[in-house]
Amino acid sequence: MSLLTRTLRQQLKPSPLTRSTFSISRTTGKRTMASAPETEKFEWLVIMPDQPGKLAKRMEVRPSHFAGLKPKMDSGFWKMGGALLEEVPKEGEQMKMLGSAMVASASSKEELLEILKNDIYAKSEVWDLDKVQVYPFKCAFRIPHP
C-alpha cells in the first residue's frame, strides 16, 4: 500500500458517530460513500379503545376506515387488525365493539401514532386517543387466516 493511500485512509476514516461508510478505490485513490441503511422497522401491537357511546359513529364511518387502511395494508405497514368486542357475538345480534387492535410494522412509535391520528376513527372521535396503548411486539408465530 502506498504512502498516499495510507494517508488518505487515515484522513478519511469515519468517526463512530458517522452513519455512512467510506472506501477508497485502489485504482483512482478517490473516496466513495455508501448510502445510509434504511431505517429498521419493528412490529407494534396497538390497542385503541373507543370513546363511550361511539358505536353508531363507528358503524357510520367504518367503510371509510377500511378504505383508508388499504394503502397501508398493501405497503405492509398494517399486518393485521380487527375490532375488540365486549363479548362473543350472539346469533342475529350486532357485535358490541369496544375498540380496535392492530399490529403494525413501523420505524418508530411516533411514526405509528402519526398514522393513527390521521385515521377516520381518530378524526371522528371514535377512538379515545388518550387511552391508546402501543407495545413493541415480537411475533412468535403467524398462521394464515383460512
Side-chain angles (χ1 to χ4, degrees), residues 17-28:
L17 301 176
T18 305
R19 286 186 159 188
S20 303
T21 57
F22 295 92
S23 62
I24 298 175
S25 167
R26 291 179 189 251
T27 55
T28 65

Side-chain angles (χ1 to χ4, degrees), residues 62-117:
R62 194 171 190 221
S64 296
H65 169 67
F66 286 138
L69 292 175
K70 181 133 180 50
K72 291 289 186 189
M73 290 167 55
D74 292 344
S75 74
F77 182 87
W78 292 120
K79 299 297 185 183
M80 59 139 270
L84 295 173
L85 305 177
E86 185 177 313
E87 60 187 24
V88 175
K90 294 180 175 72
E91 184 72 33
E93 289 184 10
Q94 184 178 16
M95 289 185 284
K96 297 176 184 173
M97 298 180 197
L98 298 174
S100 305
M102 302 170 94
V103 173
S105 177
S107 300
S108 66
K109 182 177 179 178
E110 292 74 23
E111 175 191 7
L112 172 61
L113 292 173
E114 193 61 35
I115 288 169
L116 285 180
K117 289 177 192 174

Side-chain angles (χ1 to χ4, degrees), residues 4-5 7-15 18 20-34:
L4 174 63
T5 302
T7 304
L8 283 173
R9 284 186 183 218
Q10 287 176 341
Q11 289 175 350
L12 299 176
K13 197 178 272 184
S15 74
T18 305
S20 303
T21 57
F22 295 92
S23 62
I24 298 175
S25 167
R26 291 179 189 251
T27 55
T28 65
K30 292 182 181 177
R31 79 177 181 170
T32 58
M33 187 172 83

